């Protein structure tokens, strides 16, 4: 493999993991002599004999190594001891990937190569200082780490193996969780994949136990809950439950991640609690085209991944698959209750729990959730409906995006709306794309009245409510995008909510002088889609999450009278 010395790096927006030049040169860059010299000041030089282990899959919080001489081999190891060398890293290269910014378990192993090796070992706290104090080196490291994770995902290296029927709701649930948490996964579809049978035999698994997740060196997890899976993969950060955080951000959508970046970068001890995965609703968008700075659009997953790394770079903690179920709001510091029975204490709270899509009001739809009825249209769902007709229900921008995206792979997309058209509810650029596409048709004044199918969805009936005429078509998937409900069940009784359940803030909550994001409780703020009257957009959520931190500071450190 070619190696490249560090050149002046391209701007962040140009990071394109599909460009082979960028991929190799920026994934495994060599620091200049001068950079190595500067980085060395943050750690200590060590001589290591050949084949010395330096880190192992499953470790947490390992050190960062810059190689001065010799090499460090990065490898995977199967349960039977078979070693697969992924890449040797040589002089002036460095080890690590995204896990160095957080406390997750690492995915691969490292050992010194066949020759004696000299390294600079930099401990975790000093690594963070290095990244923040030497921005040119920090940028190279950050870029390399993101690309290394992209590479692991693309090549299924360090991956969990998910075995199940691709169309089953539980297989999709687990695959979505892994993908949205940027965890490499290889899916073996038991209906299609020739290897699947061997796997099942090897682990003595029956079809009834599917889906299962197989991790090297561990028992197979049979249809685990998301929390159990997150714990087994080590992707939830451990934290000391006795700590009183300056600010706890609830929800890691765009608004919560923005709040975490600003709070942590301004020195507040910050933790983000997220029930599923970073990105929120935006994380399920195939392409966000109206977010400033990304003229060709950016997928929600990529945006969320970058924001997460940015927050963690500044020292924010992120606990995923940890749902907040309640809040003791009469005691200060506040106590947030988690679904696993634990609790977290906070001097201030930023609520950024957003919203979720409403369910379809059609008899029997629950039976098809995850196997014909979906609430997101990402590459994963698009694969499930290749060469079939699908329906998108809804007239908002998310429905428009989904229709355009799905029309690339699905045979035909029917967009169903109750109203007379899209103009009043959808951005014009999407309305125009839908109108021009031969593979999308718009059904106005229509609603779904019947679903059919044995294991998965196979046909749908909709009715034109002007004429009463019914249409029945073979359809493999419905994408329901019909407005959102706030995720505020857990604050009920503590904060003032509006008639639809969104959190009331600012003057309406009696806290107007403090901040437009202040709720009816001191030190508790709400930002993004969960806030009553908010504009439901990525940019507005990010804006609110960024500026609320000023109010948090004022609350924690009131100006002297
Ligand atoms: C498919 C789709 C496409 C979209 N496209 C665009 C677009 O192109 N441009 C645009 O500007 N906007 C778009 N939007 C809207 C945009 O995504 C939202 O406005 C934005 O994500 C709101 O951000 P948020 O952080 O306020 O909330 P959310 O994104 O809803 O995030 C809330 C987070 O909180 C977590 N959470 C909820 N309850 C709890 C709890 N009790 N404990 C812990 N965590 C919890 C959730 O899991 C979630 O991760 C789109 C939305 C969708 C669904």
């Amino acid at each position: 493999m070619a190696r490249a010395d560090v050149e002046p790096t391209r701007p962040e927006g140009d990071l394109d993991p599909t460009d082979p030049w960028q991929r190799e040169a920026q994934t495994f860059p060599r620091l200049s002599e001068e950079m190595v010299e500067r980085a060395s000041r943050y750690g200590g030089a060590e001589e290591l004999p050949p084949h010395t282990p330096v880190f192992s899959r499953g470790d947490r919080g390992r050190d960062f190594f810059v190689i001065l001489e010799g090499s460090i081999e990065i490898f995977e190891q199967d349960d039977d001891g078979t070693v697969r060398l992924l890449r040797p890293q040589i002089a002036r290269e460095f080890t690590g990937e995204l896990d160095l910014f957080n406390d997750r378990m690492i995915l691969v192993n490292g050992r010194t190569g066949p020759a004696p090796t000299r390294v600079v070992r930099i401990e975790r706290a000093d690594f963070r200082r290095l990244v923040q104090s030497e921005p040119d080196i920090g940028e190279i490291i950050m870029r390399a780490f993101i690309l290394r994770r992209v590479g692991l995902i693309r090549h299924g290296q360090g991956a969990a193996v998910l075995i199940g029927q691709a169309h089953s709701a539980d297989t999709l649930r687990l695959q979505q969780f892994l993908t949205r948490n940027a965890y490499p996964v290889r899916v073996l579809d038991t209906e299609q994949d020739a290897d699947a049978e061997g796997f099942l035999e090897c682990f003595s698994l029956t079809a009834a136990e599917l889906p299962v997740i197989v991790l090297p060196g561990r028992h197979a997890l049979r249809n685990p809950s998301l929390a159990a899976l997150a714990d087994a993969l080590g992707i939830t950060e451990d934290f000391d439950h006795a700590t009183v955080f300056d600010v706890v951000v609830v929800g890691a959508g765009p608004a919560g991640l923005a709040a975490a970046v600003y709070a942590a970068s301004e020195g507040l001890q910050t933790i983000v609690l997220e029930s599923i995965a970073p990105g929120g609703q935006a994380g399920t968008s195939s392409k966000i085209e109206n977010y400033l700075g990304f003229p060709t659009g950016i997928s929600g997953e990529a945006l969320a991944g970058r924001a997460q790394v940015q927050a963690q770079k500044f020292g924010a903690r992120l606990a995923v698959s940890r749902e907040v179920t309640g809040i003791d709001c009469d005691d200060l510091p506040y106590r947030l209750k988690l679904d696993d029975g634990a609790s977290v204490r906070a001097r201030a709270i930023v609520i950024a729990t957003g919203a979720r899509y409403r369910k379809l009001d059609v008899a029997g739809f629950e039976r098809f959730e995850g196997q014909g009825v979906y609430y997101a249209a990402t590459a994963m769902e698009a694969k499930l409906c290749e060469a079939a007709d699908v329906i998108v229900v809804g007239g908002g921008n998310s429905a428009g995006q989904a229709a355009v995206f799905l029309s690339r792979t699905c045979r035909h997309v029917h967009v169903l709306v109750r109203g007379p058209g899209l103009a009043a509810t959808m951005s014009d650029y999407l309305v125009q794309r839908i109108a021009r596409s031969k593979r999308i048709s718009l059904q106005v004044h229509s609603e779904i009245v019947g679903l059919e199918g044995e294991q998965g969805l196979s046909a749908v009936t909709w009715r034109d409510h002007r004429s009463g005429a019914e249409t029945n078509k073979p359809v493999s998937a419905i994408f329901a995008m019909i407005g959102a409900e706030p995720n505020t069940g857990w604050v009920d009784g503590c904060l003032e909510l509006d008639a639809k359940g969104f959190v009331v803030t600012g003057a309406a909550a009696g806290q107007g002088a403090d901040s437009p994001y202040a709720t009816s409780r001191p030190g508790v703020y709400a930002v993004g889609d969960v806030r009553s009257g908010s504009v439901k957009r990525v940019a507005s959520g990010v804006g609110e999450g960024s500026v609320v931190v000023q109010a948090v500071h004022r609350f924690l450190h009131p100006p002297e009278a």
Side-chain angles (χ1 to χ4, degrees):
M1 263 186 268
R3 294 170 195 269
D5 275 20
V6 165
E7 299 294 336
T9 47
R10 297 182 184 190
E12 180 70 7
D14 279 357
L15 187 67
D16 176 5
T18 58
D19 171 343
W21 179 86
Q22 283 192 39
R23 198 164 57 228
E24 183 57 24
Q26 299 190 11
T27 311
F28 300 104
R30 294 184 83 180
L31 300 175
S32 66
E33 298 284 0
E34 185 275 332
M35 286 174 169
V36 171
E37 199 277 316
R38 261 192 292 144
S40 305
R41 295 181 208 150
Y42 293 81
E46 285 182 20
E47 307 255 354
L48 299 170
H51 305 304
T52 306
V54 286
F55 48 80
S56 307
R57 184 184 171 108
D59 289 350
R60 291 183 194 255
R62 293 319 307 262
D63 300 332
F64 175 75
F65 295 90
V66 180
I67 296 111
L68 300 175
E69 212 178 296
S71 62
I72 290 184
E73 297 175 344
I74 309 300
F75 64 98
E76 287 185 302
Q77 188 158 21
D78 289 344
D79 286 347
D80 63 4
T82 311
V83 165
R84 255 189 315 281
L85 193 62
L86 303 182
R87 196 180 192 283
Q89 299 201 268
I90 59 163
R92 290 196 276 129
E93 294 188 357
F94 50 84
T95 59
E97 60 104 35
L98 286 182
D99 293 331
L100 258 155
F101 285 117
N102 52 51
D103 202 26
R104 291 178 172 195
M105 288 182 192
I106 61 176
L107 297 171
V108 290
N109 309 281
R111 65 180 180 205
T112 53
T117 295
R118 256 182 356 107
V119 296
V120 176
R121 181 194 287 265
I122 302 177
E123 288 180 4
R124 190 56 82 94
D126 296 321
F127 169 70
R128 209 175 277 285
R129 266 196 320 117
L130 161 71
V131 170
Q132 287 177 11
S133 315
E134 311 288 343
D136 54 340
I137 303 177
E139 191 187 329
I140 293 163
I141 293 173
M142 175 84 73
R143 191 178 298 261
F145 282 9
I146 291 174
L147 289 171
R148 286 176 192 181
R149 175 55 65 112
V150 170
L152 289 175
I153 291 172
R154 178 173 303 134
H155 302 299
Q157 289 164 340
V161 180
L162 170 60
I163 308 169
Q165 294 167 314
H167 284 82
S168 106
D170 281 319
T171 305
L172 190 67
R173 174 179 65 88
L174 298 173
Q175 192 184 355
Q176 272 171 345
F177 180 76
L178 291 161
T179 308
R180 291 192 52 200
N181 278 291
Y183 200 95
V185 57
R186 276 197 297 136
V187 182
L188 292 186
D189 179 356
T190 44
E191 289 180 339
Q192 303 280 337
D193 206 309
D195 291 343
E197 205 172 315
F199 252 106
L200 294 179
E201 257 174 44
C202 165
F203 288 95
S204 311
L205 293 164
T206 63
E209 292 169 298
L210 296 178
V212 294
I213 301 252
V214 182
L215 299 165
R218 287 178 171 254
H219 295 302
L221 301 170
R222 293 164 171 76
N223 199 8
S225 67
L226 297 187
L229 176 57
D231 287 344
L233 299 172
I235 59 178
T236 286
E237 287 194 50
D238 288 335
F239 60 91
D240 179 3
H241 289 267
T243 304
V244 180
F245 288 90
D246 290 331
V247 56
V248 173
V249 179
V250 188
L257 288 171
V261 166
Y262 279 81
S265 68
E266 291 175 23
L268 297 178
Q269 196 180 14
T270 306
I271 187 165
V272 186
L273 303 172
E274 163 57 50
S275 53
I276 306 172
Q281 296 169 73
T284 67
S285 170
S286 50
K287 203 173 212 189
I288 297 165
E289 294 195 55
N290 55 1
Y291 187 54
L292 189 72
F294 296 92
T296 55
I298 180 166
S299 76
E301 229 172 86
L303 187 66
R306 288 175 187 205
Q308 176 187 347
V309 178
Q310 202 173 4
Q312 290 178 325
K313 179 185 95 168
F314 288 119
R317 315 294 303 270
L318 176 69
V320 293
S321 84
R322 292 294 178 263
E323 179 166 342
V324 178
T325 53
I327 172 171
D328 271 346
C329 51
D330 293 323
D331 270 348
L332 281 171
Y334 294 110
R335 185 185 293 278
L336 292 155
K337 296 178 224 165
L338 304 183
D339 56 350
D340 62 359
S343 64
V344 183
R345 307 203 73 194
R347 294 191 179 87
I349 299 173
V350 175
I351 297 174
T353 46
R356 61 184 179 281
Y357 269 98
R358 283 207 194 98
K359 310 252 168 185
L360 281 177
D361 187 17
V362 188
F365 83 91
E366 295 98 336
R367 194 162 70 78
F368 295 107
E369 276 187 323
Q371 39 195 5
V373 173
Y374 306 103
Y375 299 94
T378 66
M380 223 181 312
E381 290 84 10
K383 256 201 187 136
L384 299 175
C385 60
E386 279 171 1
D389 277 22
V390 301
I391 292 177
V392 173
V393 188
N397 277 356
S398 45
Q401 274 177 18
V404 171
F405 174 67
L406 292 165
S407 68
R408 289 191 219 138
T409 47
C410 303
R411 190 169 53 204
H412 197 83
V413 181
H414 305 270
V415 177
L416 257 68
V417 288
R418 282 186 171 169
L422 301 174
T425 48
M426 195 180 282
S427 294
D428 190 55
Y429 78 96
L430 289 167
V431 176
Q432 297 308 329
R433 282 187 207 170
I434 288 173
R436 280 199 302 271
S437 171
K438 290 196 174 68
R439 294 171 76 166
I440 308 178
S441 35
L442 177 63
Q443 318 291 345
V444 295
H445 297 291
S446 296
E447 59 192 297
I448 293 178
V449 290
L451 308 174
E452 295 161 47
E454 287 302 319
Q455 290 212 306
L457 186 69
S458 60
V460 173
T461 306
W462 68 82
R463 180 186 297 142
D464 182 322
H465 59 72
R466 292 166 303 183
S467 62
E470 293 194 352
T471 307
N472 179 277
K473 273 204 183 297
V475 159
S476 69
I478 295 173
F479 295 86
M481 291 168 171
I482 48 172
E485 292 168 349
N487 292 316
T488 48
W490 63 280
V491 293
D492 212 6
C494 171
L495 301 178
E496 191 182 331
L497 305 179
D498 71 11
K500 291 185 176 161
F502 291 86
V503 181
V504 175
T505 59
Q511 303 276 330
D514 177 14
S515 156
Y517 310 113
T519 68
S520 49
R521 294 268 167 186
V524 181
Y525 302 86
V527 291
D529 280 17
V530 76
R531 194 174 68 78
S532 177
S534 66
V535 176
K536 311 285 186 271
R537 290 282 184 276
V538 174
S540 52
V542 168
E544 294 185 11
S546 312
V547 300
V548 73
V549 172
Q550 205 183 16
V552 172
H553 268 299
R554 271 204 310 272
F555 173 75
L556 294 175
H557 310 287
E560 293 192 5

